[in-house]
Amino acid sequence: MGNFYNASVPIGQVPVADCGPTPNSSVYLNQSMASATIVFSFSGTANPVYNNLQEAYYNAAGNKTIFLINYYNTTSTTETVRNGVNLDCQGNLINGTTTIFSVNGEKNNSFRNCPLFTTGTSSIGIDFVSGAINNYVINATINTSGSSAYGVR
């Protein structure tokens, strides 16, 4: 079991090797909740539900999936921070006013069933930068508005 990181922790303080508090579980995201909840069972698994996308990425172990339960609205960029994390939006919209995702050097991440909408000058749906390799966008619709805006860069 690893450490829990909330969204106020600077990205540089989240070790890539830390598996988060629930290494054997998928992660769920429900922005309508007041705070994160983690319910552990006697079998050693857990049902973590976060209300913040950055917290979900901070606390997801590699080769696990973050399931978006409902619409998500964000005004900040989410850093993927881990290799091998899959985001399944299940058709739920992520609406942002800046770059929604930054994949900076991570690999083997996927964004599946995600409608993304971002507005604002120089906004980007998914930004692959600096050594981001073998990452996938599957069945996604990305709409942008604003000058110098990109769906995927």
Side-chain angles (χ1 to χ4, degrees):
M1 189 179 302
N3 297 300
F4 168 77
Y5 299 95
N6 68 29
S8 67
V9 175
I11 193 163
Q13 293 181 5
V14 180
V16 172
D18 192 330
C19 61
T22 55
N24 300 316
S25 303
S26 294
V27 172
Y28 297 87
L29 180 66
N30 183 348
Q31 191 174 33
S32 65
M33 295 179 51
S35 64
T37 63
I38 302 172
V39 178
F40 292 94
S41 72
F42 290 109
S43 66
T45 61
N47 296 306
V49 181
Y50 297 96
N51 67 343
N52 180 288
L53 191 53
Q54 188 64 70
E55 282 182 8
Y57 268 98
Y58 276 174
N59 295 291
N63 298 315
K64 296 298 177 194
T65 300
I66 298 170
F67 293 99
L68 186 60
I69 294 174
N70 54 12
Y71 169 91
Y72 188 81
N73 192 43
T74 184
T75 58
S76 61
T77 300
T78 297
E79 303 278 348
T80 56
V81 304
R82 304 232 186 269
N83 295 325
V85 175
N86 305 297
L87 173 65
D88 188 343
C89 296
Q90 303 184 102
N92 294 298
L93 175 71
I94 297 178
N95 184 47
T97 57
T98 184
T99 298
I100 296 176
F101 292 104
S102 176
V103 184
N104 191 353
E106 292 84 33
K107 59 185 178 182
N108 301 319
N109 288 291
S110 70
F111 303 89
R112 186 180 304 268
N113 306 314
C114 293
L116 305 177
F117 181 71
T118 185
T119 59
T121 302
S122 301
S123 62
I124 303 166
I126 303 172
D127 194 11
F128 295 107
V129 295
S130 186
I133 58 171
N134 297 330
N135 294 284
Y136 306 93
V137 179
I138 304 162
N139 193 33
T141 303
I142 303 173
N143 293 304
T144 62
S145 68
S147 61
S148 301
Y150 296 90
V152 176
R153 179 176 77 169

